[in-house]
Amino acid sequence: MLEIKGLHVSVQGSVILNGLDLTVPEGEVHAIMGPNGSGKSTLSYTMAGREGYVATDGQILYRGVNLLKMSPEDRAREGMFMAFQYPVEIPGVSVLYFLKAALNAHRKHRGEKEVDAIEFLKLARSNADTLGMDHEMLNRQVNMGFSGGEKKRCEILQMAILQPQLLVLDETDSGLDIDALKVVAKGVNNLRSENRTILLITHYQRLLSHVVPDKVHVLSGGRIVASGGKDLALTLERKGYAEFSTEAA
Amino acid sequence: MATDTDTLAATQRLVDSEYGYGFVTEVEEDRAPKGLNEGVVRYISAKKEEPQWLLDWRLRAFRAWEERYLPAGDPTWAKLRYPPINYQDAFYYAAPKSQADRPRSLDEVDPELLKTYDKLGIPLHEREVLAGVAVDAVFDSVSVATTYKAALAEKGIIFCAMSEAVREHSDLVKKYLGTVVPYSDNSFATLNSAVFSDGTFVYVPPGVRCPMELSTYFRINAENTGQFERTLVIADKGSYVSYLEGCTAPMRDENQLHAAVVELVALDDAEIKYSTVQNWYPGNKHGEGGIYNFVTKRGACRGRNSKISWTQVETGSAITWKYPSCILQGDNSVGEFYSVAVTNNYQQADTGTKMIHIGANTRSTIISKSISAGHAQNTYRGLVRIQPRAHSARNFTQCDGLLLGDRCGAHTVPYIEVKNSGARVEHEASTSRISDDQLFYCMQRGLGAEDGVNLIVNGFCKVVFQSLPMEFAVEAQKLLEVSLEGSIG
């Protein structure tokens, strides 16, 4: 279970999250929707432990442990994965090499044997196949010269290989054509299980018709201002965020 | 079976010969007095029983150094700061150290050095050799060297110590020595010409493709030649040779000043690939101690369609002053320079290349990657010169600097001189930092900060590593990680 309690976060001195409370039980998929500047990305960066995102108050408890007390890499190794809104380019490093290094860091942390190159290649290819991706992507440099859609697919591939327990997808659906959107949805749906907790942070309802959430929350002014079932997303799509924004203000 | 017998015999000879020379009793007599004068030059030449022509050559170099370079002082154009070198306060010749003079076991060696060997995964018996521990005979490398020698001799390839070459192949040495780097080229090369201790000589006969990478690592009798080393590699018509210099393990050396000279000659259709990994002691975290490395390396593509390719990974030395260059004389000849220079703490590197296009349709490629951390300064300095006859010459240069932290510097100083209007010269340069975005991305995937930096740095250097021989590339990657340890924090 993920429990965020009274979370206050400042970025460069300005308060972005302002007493955010959120509970996501194990096995559920929750969507967080909100207008631009409501603090969606701040929430995901804070959960992942990015420098400069200062939690001034509150807790992020995952399975009873406060993530805020852990280094970013330890959060990742303990099973937290963030799909980036803007995946980062790493010149000269192949997707295959990058992912193998990441997977082995996880395995080492769990006290498991590291995978060798051949074993890993098999694993990576079979995951690419499942998601309907070209093997060629594995040999390309991480996110270099990738189209927007390719970058997001690559995030999903990484997610599939690392098999995280707590998933945060930060606007992974933005700017995608329908094919790429389906790959993202498939990747998330494949990982849906009793012991996983999934948070979809999004601006639009679009992804939610492919990955149906158990609950939808509205983030505005740095806190959750409304929660409901999957229909709430449709309401938002029709009416916009205006009424929630005023409420928060 | 024959090899085994040979190996045993060779090992026995080596063991016998060491005792035969009686190093233990003759130590004191085998050292020239401190300081540099004509007498010292004559002493060195006499000790090595050199022919008259070589003594004369050394003396010409010494006079040039004394008259021209000593009064003028060291060159000041490089972006390097160090106190003036007192040339009279150094020894210029010492015979190999006796067994009695050395550490008796690894227990007597600097623990920091041992830690580094451990990180690099250097086998135990090799550590002893590298640290200069007294060992009777290194059986493994002796047998490897013997096997090598037999295979090379079969093809007519000469691969031996410079002093041996002067004795056994005097004509070849006389024909080529100093023809690429003249004895009076620059102050350090001139100094080297006067007092060079030993070095390596390679000759590959016409049409022969050298069947293995030649490495100084496997050359016995290579001890104590580091300070003023002289290397000469000749690839005759249509031949090919790949030469590896140095070693990823940090080498212990008591001499602070190093001034080596390397000359390469490639005749028609010949190719020389010269790879270096330099990891001399860089000094401590406060910038104290460390080797001053002033090297002159130059290759002449003398023949048509010849090719010389330099690849260097520079991580050591307090000061690096080094510009491996190509003189592209033959039509259609090709010069390449691939470099990774890493500086950390208070290290300073001023390194690059010169590509001199003389022949028609000559091509050159320069890829330089510099990484600076701590308080280090890292400068790329390169000259591309297109002479009037170099019709359709082409050059591509790419210089990228990567900064770790905010107290280090990366500088790019390109010189481009074009005297032929049909030439094409391209220069790209960039300086960047490891971005917080990149590092956070790596960490979010589970990599620690240092592993993340290593991954990004290795990616940055990949094009250069790719041009290294396979095994060397793996070692170089590891070496980079060790060199940058503690630079993020």
Side-chain angles (χ1 to χ4, degrees):
Chain A
M1 183 154 77
L2 172 72
E3 283 177 283
I4 302 179
K5 293 180 184 171
L7 185 64
H8 288 73
V9 174
S10 299
V11 183
Q12 289 178 326
S14 38
V15 179
I16 309 289
L17 296 184
N18 193 10
L20 185 142
D21 293 297
L22 178 69
T23 302
V24 187
E26 212 101 315
E28 291 196 4
V29 176
H30 286 204
I32 302 215
M33 302 183 72
N36 291 329
S38 59
K40 298 196 298 293
S41 286
T42 299
L43 175 60
S44 51
Y45 278 140
T46 307
M47 288 181 71
R50 174 144 204 178
E51 221 180 321
Y53 291 74
V54 185
T56 51
D57 199 9
Q59 289 181 313
I60 303 177
L61 297 171
Y62 177 62
R63 293 180 177 167
V65 181
N66 190 357
L67 291 184
L68 293 172
K69 299 238 189 290
M70 293 163 74
S71 69
E73 62 268 32
D74 277 341
R75 297 181 203 198
R77 293 166 188 165
E78 287 288 327
M80 193 223 153
F81 182 94
M82 171 181 167
F84 282 57
Q85 185 179 3
Y86 303 109
V88 182
E89 298 180 346
I90 308 179
V93 178
S94 71
V95 171
L96 206 58
Y97 187 87
F98 178 68
L99 261 175
K100 180 166 144 279
L103 181 64
N104 280 333
H106 285 241
R107 294 182 67 104
K108 217 168 145 190
H109 181 73
R110 295 195 294 256
E112 294 167 10
K113 207 174 123 275
E114 296 189 11
V115 290
D116 63 34
I118 297 168
E119 220 177 312
F120 184 75
L121 184 63
K122 275 190 206 154
L123 177 73
R125 284 187 174 163
S126 78
N127 274 287
D129 288 341
T130 310
L131 293 169
M133 289 179 202
D134 208 333
H135 290 178
E136 185 244 340
M137 177 187 265
L138 298 169
N139 296 320
R140 288 169 67 185
Q141 302 172 47
V142 177
N143 294 318
M144 290 289 290
F146 282 25
S147 69
E150 283 173 331
K151 283 183 180 172
K152 300 296 171 72
R153 284 173 202 237
C154 186
E155 293 289 290
I156 298 304
L157 176 69
Q158 295 180 40
M159 195 170 83
I161 287 170
L162 295 175
Q163 293 278 309
Q165 300 294 304
L166 171 62
L167 289 69
V168 180
L169 287 88
D170 186 7
E171 304 209 23
T172 303
D173 53 336
S174 61
L176 293 188
D177 61 32
I178 187 68
D179 290 337
L181 190 73
K182 278 183 177 164
V183 171
V184 169
K186 188 173 182 187
V188 178
N189 284 329
N190 284 350
L191 283 178
R192 242 179 141 148
S193 77
E194 281 173 10
N195 54 10
R196 287 204 172 86
T197 305
I198 302 177
L199 213 52
L200 301 175
I201 296 178
T202 178
H203 198 77
Y204 304 104
Q205 188 284 135
R206 223 159 55 116
L207 177 64
L208 305 183
S209 40
H210 297 276
V211 184
V212 181
D214 297 297
K215 261 190 162 181
V216 175
H217 308 274
V218 180
L219 177 63
S220 183
R223 59 173 76 178
I224 302 294
V225 293
S227 298
K230 60 179 196 283
D231 297 337
L232 181 57
L234 295 169
T235 316
L236 283 169
E237 186 87 342
R238 246 191 355 262
K239 293 189 174 169
Y241 290 106
E243 66 180 277
F244 297 105
S245 302
T246 37
E247 223 169 86
Chain B
M1 280 304 122
T3 315
D4 282 356
T5 322
D6 283 354
T7 308
L8 288 175
T11 310
Q12 196 53 48
R13 271 201 303 279
L14 184 91
V15 171
D16 288 345
S17 69
E18 284 200 357
Y19 286 112
Y21 282 124
F23 282 162
V24 183
T25 51
E26 285 182 4
V27 192
E28 291 310 316
E29 290 166 43
D30 268 353
R31 173 167 291 187
K34 219 179 206 183
L36 185 53
N37 53 48
E38 193 175 314
V40 169
V41 176
R42 285 181 184 277
Y43 175 91
I44 295 170
S45 191
K47 266 282 166 204
K48 297 182 157 295
E49 298 172 15
E50 287 175 353
Q52 186 64 37
W53 69 263
L54 188 52
L55 172 63
D56 292 344
W57 191 77
R58 283 180 184 271
L59 288 172
R60 279 201 298 276
F62 174 71
R63 281 171 201 137
W65 184 77
E66 196 181 34
E67 286 161 21
R68 201 186 321 168
Y69 293 116
L70 188 61
D74 293 340
T76 52
W77 43 260
K79 193 175 164 52
L80 299 170
R81 295 171 82 180
Y82 57 93
I85 297 166
N86 183 355
Y87 289 98
Q88 298 305 346
D89 190 34
F91 288 102
Y92 290 88
Y93 181 80
K97 278 204 163 185
S98 75
Q99 301 285 33
D101 246 12
R102 303 174 177 203
R104 261 165 240 287
S105 75
L106 284 175
D107 296 340
E108 293 177 26
V109 173
D110 181 7
E112 280 299 313
L113 196 64
L114 297 179
K115 244 190 256 168
T116 311
Y117 290 164
D118 207 37
K119 284 175 199 155
L120 289 167
I122 311 271
L124 210 64
H125 63 278
E126 287 179 25
R127 295 181 196 190
E128 294 184 333
V129 179
L130 292 164
V133 171
V135 280
D136 281 340
V138 194
F139 288 88
D140 279 13
S141 58
V142 169
S143 59
V144 169
T146 315
T147 320
Y148 266 53
K149 280 227 152 156
L152 294 174
E154 211 168 275
K155 301 235 173 199
I157 297 166
I158 304 167
F159 176 42
C160 64
M162 184 62 95
S163 49
E164 187 186 331
V166 169
R167 283 195 307 271
E168 314 276 325
H169 311 283
S170 188
D171 290 349
L172 276 174
V173 178
K174 194 175 175 184
K175 185 172 174 190
Y176 289 103
L177 186 76
T179 62
V180 189
V181 179
Y183 68 82
S184 60
D185 190 80
N186 64 70
S187 65
F188 303 114
T190 306
L191 182 66
N192 174 289
S193 301
V195 300
F196 73 88
S197 32
D198 210 329
T200 310
F201 178 80
V202 177
Y203 172 78
V204 188
V208 171
R209 195 181 163 84
C210 185
M212 61 196 71
E213 321 264 1
L214 297 182
S215 166
T216 40
Y217 194 63
F218 289 123
R219 206 195 60 214
I220 36 176
N221 295 329
E223 287 156 28
N224 239 35
T225 57
Q227 197 183 4
F228 299 106
E229 196 166 356
R230 184 107 200 170
T231 303
L232 177 57
V233 179
I234 301 144
D236 213 323
K237 291 178 181 173
S239 68
Y240 168 83
V241 63
S242 166
Y243 184 89
L244 312 182
E245 172 200 61
C247 178
T248 49
M251 301 272 266
R252 208 179 75 114
D253 197 301
E254 285 148 17
N255 300 304
Q256 188 173 42
L257 173 66
H258 281 234
V261 171
V262 176
E263 295 178 277
L264 311 182
V265 179
L267 301 182
D268 286 357
D269 304 299
E271 179 177 348
I272 302 174
K273 189 173 161 58
Y274 194 104
S275 314
T276 307
V277 170
Q278 185 266 117
N279 190 21
W280 295 104
Y281 180 54
N284 67 16
K285 281 190 177 129
H286 310 290
E288 295 153 356
I291 301 286
Y292 292 1
N293 196 26
F294 300 99
V295 190
T296 306
K297 290 185 166 179
R298 198 173 299 155
C301 283
R302 229 158 252 180
R304 293 172 59 87
N305 312 317
S306 56
K307 180 176 176 184
I308 288 178
S309 149
W310 299 99
T311 304
Q312 59 170 19
V313 177
E314 302 281 318
T315 65
S317 298
I319 287 180
T320 301
W321 181 98
K322 184 179 174 190
Y323 315 90
S325 305
C326 297
I327 299 168
L328 303 169
Q329 213 173 327
D331 289 349
N332 313 319
S333 60
V334 176
E336 291 175 341
F337 174 76
Y338 297 100
S339 169
V340 168
V342 182
T343 50
N344 197 356
N345 299 318
Y346 285 88
Q347 281 178 277
Q348 305 174 62
D350 193 298
T351 183
T353 183
K354 287 187 272 185
M355 293 291 175
I356 313 294
H357 292 254
I358 298 171
N361 201 29
T362 46
R363 282 164 292 151
S364 64
T365 305
I366 299 171
I367 309 280
S368 162
K369 304 277 182 177
S370 79
I371 298 142
S372 321
H375 293 82
Q377 296 293 331
N378 207 323
T379 304
Y380 166 82
R381 187 182 304 277
L383 168 68
V384 176
R385 178 183 289 154
I386 312 283
Q387 298 285 63
R389 273 202 322 106
H391 305 294
S392 309
R394 273 176 290 157
N395 162 266
F396 173 76
T397 300
Q398 188 185 341
C399 303
D400 298 317
L402 190 66
L403 300 170
L404 278 69
D406 52 9
R407 285 162 300 176
C408 50
H411 317 273
T412 302
V413 190
Y415 304 80
I416 300 170
E417 299 172 14
V418 181
K419 293 174 185 153
N420 181 305
S421 58
R424 199 172 80 210
V425 176
E426 289 173 66
H427 180 94
E428 289 177 9
S430 76
T431 303
S432 54
R433 269 173 210 290
I434 289 189
S435 74
D436 293 345
D437 282 340
Q438 284 176 322
L439 203 52
F440 176 64
Y441 193 66
C442 292
M443 288 163 85
Q444 209 302 305
R445 296 302 182 249
L447 299 173
E450 270 195 4
D451 291 340
V453 169
N454 287 333
L455 183 111
I456 295 164
V457 167
N458 275 314
F460 176 77
C461 301
K462 196 176 176 201
V463 268
V464 176
F465 286 168
Q466 275 170 339
S467 69
L468 280 172
M470 177 73 161
E471 271 185 52
F472 235 34
V474 175
E475 285 182 35
Q477 188 166 337
K478 230 188 216 169
L479 176 62
L480 234 64
E481 292 174 11
V482 175
S483 305
L484 290 172
E485 214 164 70
S487 59
I488 282 281

